């Protein structure tokens, strides 16, 4: 039996030795093997450099990442395997300019781009897509980033900056587009079992079949874990007591299917996620007892491609989403007289909200000439949410509903949009891109967004991008209609929040390296945030919004097929309140990710991956390190893989700033040291 000292607050000697050996191997190999390749026939330098193919998230068409009219990064399946990332959040945490974090309340793993923490407890200002399909709750804009089976991921494309011209609402500060595996690209079946810290047990599988005109890919996973002990100090507790308990436990199962027949394609996804509720981390004086949270997600996205001619392609899309959320709590204090006035806690039987989206899109891609191509489309989306009910003991409230219920009637909204986006080659070295979108929202009215850019090829290996664009987000149903006074209330007259962004980027590539650097400047208007109105936190528009500028960079180098490294990061030059000019408090000035992957043999890989985050608010800077090892071997015509991943290698105890309300300085950060072992078979 192998034992890990998982909760020690000091780096154990074995961990230090392991890291020292790894770094020593990387250094000596870099010096001795720059010109020497081991024979890794199935791994190319392009794979080691993360990506050398086409992306689709910049223009809804396949194009090179270097010449795409967007500031983009890509994380591939090869990177997922090298770093041992077990879900999409762990992969995003190592990508350029993305800060993943939690709040005291949210059930959602959150992400920030370019220091935008305005999403409060939900991922509402970054659009999350799966194969271009928008996956978020129409109630609060939240998206469950960990829901999709990680084995279904072929690559993750991230666009940093405004992208509403293509994707509409919520694509305010950027887009995360997960591209899945598909039959025809994958021709093997796989089963994988993982055990690890927190009594984690995970089973994953994938099946791929392609015959003549039919294609079928199915991936699924099942996870159960107790989670890890979460310690809350007295300073992180509004009641001043502090406590320690198991938290972040989870039971989850999910299925993703991609079906294809000739020019027809469909994605079907279902997930059921039950986890310990995060109520109680800070306001435990308000919420009592054991909380559980269950979320059921389902969507179907159907697409039909029709080639009208050699120069015109039509795509028809239809989608339906359903999201059901059920919270259960043993007790809650009803707030009667201000934020800290408490009465006896009644029994809560259920906290529920069901919502759905239905939509359709038709767009055409036209190759008008060798120099000009464009896409134009129409999109319709309808959103609906059933009553958002806190149901309690009927003997206490005659209606059976708590005064804290967010809204007790069906709420809905709809968007109708038209867009056009195209590019024109001015010469062999320069091209222009431009786009326009008009969106009519039933509640907020009309919204016009546009983008323009110049892509200039300075040499065969160096490309310059200059981009300017706007984006928007309509207030979600929760922000408009929540009425849980004195806790929180919405505003029915909220206007769309808007962002205009300017980017200038430089992309370089050679046979062994990839590098990029870009400067950005963002300005928001009518920013939606919480502010006290008559003593009650209320969603309001901040007309002047926020202004931010910064620098983002990536560097990847393959010394050989046996050794590669990466460094990426972001630096904030300025972040200020648009109305007062004051510096924003909750800003991560520097984010750096760096790592080394070493392959001493064809079938053995060792990776070190590390993340640094500077202080923000009153939370101190921290560095989190990880280590992953994998071994592959043939079993006849099949393949077996063994892997070991250790996250938070040195058991770093770090904190997050409590930015959403500001009553406390910090809240507990991420998990302590975690170790996971896995075995998989491909056949």
């Amino acid at each position: 039996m192998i034992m890990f000292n998982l909760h020690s607050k000091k780096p154990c000697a074995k961990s230090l030795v392991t890291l020292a050996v790894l770094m020593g191997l990387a250094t000596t190999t870099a010096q001795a093997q720059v010109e020497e390749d081991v024979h890794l026939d199935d791994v190319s330098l392009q794979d080691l450099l993360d990506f050398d193919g086409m992306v689709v998230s910049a223009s809804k068409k396949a194009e090179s990442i270097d010449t795409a009219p967007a500031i983009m990064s890509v994380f591939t399946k090869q990177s997922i395997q090298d770093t041992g990332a077990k879900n999409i959040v762990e992969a995003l945490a190592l990508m350029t300019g993305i800060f993943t974090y939690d709040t005291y309340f949210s059930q959602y793993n959150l992400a920030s781009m370019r220091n935008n923490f305005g999403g409060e407890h939900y991922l509402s200002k970054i659009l999350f897509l799966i194969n271009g399909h928008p996956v978020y709750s129409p109630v609060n804009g939240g998206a469950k980033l960990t829901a999709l089976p990680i084995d279904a991921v072929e690559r993750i494309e991230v666009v940093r900056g405004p992208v509403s011209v293509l994707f509409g609402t919520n694509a305010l500060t950027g887009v995360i587009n997960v591209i899945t595996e598909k039959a025809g690209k994958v021709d093997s079946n796989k089963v994988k079992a993982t055990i690890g810290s927190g009594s984690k047990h995970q089973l994953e599988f994938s099946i791929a079949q392609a015959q003549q005109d039919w294609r079928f890919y199915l991936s699924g996973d099942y996870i159960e874990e107790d989670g890890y002990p979460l310690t809350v100090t007295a300073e992180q507790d509004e009641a001043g007591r502090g406590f320690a308990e198991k938290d972040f436990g989870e039971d989850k199962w999910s299925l993703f299917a991609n079906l294809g027949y000739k020019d027809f394609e469909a994605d079907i996804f279902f997930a059921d996620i039950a986890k310990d509720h995060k109520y109680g981390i800070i306001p435990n004086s308000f919420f009592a007892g054991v909380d559980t949270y269950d979320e059921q997600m389902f969507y179907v996205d159907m697409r039909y491609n029709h080639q009208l001619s050699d120069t015109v392609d039509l795509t028809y899309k239809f989608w339906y989403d359903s999201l059901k959320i059920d919270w259960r709590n043993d007790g809650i204090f009803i707030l009667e007289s201000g934020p800290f006035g408490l009465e006896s806690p009644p029994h809560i039987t259920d906290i529920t909200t069901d919502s759905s989206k239905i939509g359709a899109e038709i767009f055409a891609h036209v190759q008008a000439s060798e120099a000009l191509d464009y896409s134009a489309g129409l999109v319709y989306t309808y959103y609906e949410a059933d009553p958002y009910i806190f149901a309690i003991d009927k003997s206490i409230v005659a209606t059976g509903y708590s005064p804290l219920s967010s809204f007790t009637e069906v709420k809905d909204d709809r968007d109708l949009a038209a867009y056009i986006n195209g590019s024109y080659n001015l010469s062999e070295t320069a091209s222009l891109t431009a786009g326009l979108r008009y969106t009519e929202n039933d509640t907020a009215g009309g919204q016009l967004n546009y983008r323009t850019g110049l892509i200039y090829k300075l040499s065969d290996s160096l490309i310059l991008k200059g981009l300017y664009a706007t984006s928007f987000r309509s207030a979600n149903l929760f922000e408009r209609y929540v009425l849980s006074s004195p806790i929180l209330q919405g505003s029915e007259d909220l206007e769309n929040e808007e962002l205009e962004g300017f980017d200038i980027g430089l992309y370089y590539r050679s046979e062994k390296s990839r590098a990029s650097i870009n400067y950005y400047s963002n300005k928001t208007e009518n920013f939606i945030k919480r502010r006290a109105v008559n003593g009650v936190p209320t969603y309001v528009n901040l007309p002047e919004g926020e202004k931010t500028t910064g620098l983002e960079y990536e560097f990847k180098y393959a010394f050989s097929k046996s050794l590669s490294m990466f460094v990426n990061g972001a630096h904030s030059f300025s972040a200020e309140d648009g109305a007062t000019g004051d510096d924003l408090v909750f800003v991560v000035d520097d984010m750096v990710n760096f790592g080394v992957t070493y392959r001493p043999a064809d079938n053995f890989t060792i990776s070190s991956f590390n993340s640094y985050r500077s202080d923000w608010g009153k939370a101190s800077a921290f560095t989190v390190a990880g280590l992953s090892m994998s071994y592959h071997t043939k079993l006849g015509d099949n393949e077996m893989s063994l892997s070991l991943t250790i996250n938070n290698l040195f058991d770093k105890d770090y904190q997050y700033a409590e930015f959403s309300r500001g009553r406390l300085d910090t809240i507990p950060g991420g998990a302590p040291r975690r170790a996971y072992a896995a075995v998989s078979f491909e056949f």
Side-chain angles (χ1 to χ4, degrees), residues 389-436:
I389 298 299
F390 285 27
I392 65 175
D393 191 324
K394 292 186 178 182
S395 65
I396 298 176
V397 177
T399 62
Y401 300 153
S402 162
L404 298 180
S405 294
S406 296
F407 45 84
T408 57
E409 298 178 351
V410 173
K411 303 295 182 182
D412 62 8
D413 207 348
R414 56 187 56 78
D415 291 335
L416 179 63
Y419 66 88
I420 185 169
N421 186 80
S423 62
Y424 181 75
N425 295 327
L426 298 171
S427 66
E428 292 183 357
T429 59
S431 64
L432 280 174
T433 183
L436 192 68

Side-chain angles (χ1 to χ4, degrees), residues 291-306:
D291 299 84
T292 57
Y293 171 98
D294 185 76
E295 179 173 327
Q296 292 183 347
M297 305 169 56
F298 170 80
Y299 81 76
V300 57
D301 186 301
M302 296 181 289
R303 307 176 288 277
Y304 177 71
N305 298 314
H306 178 55

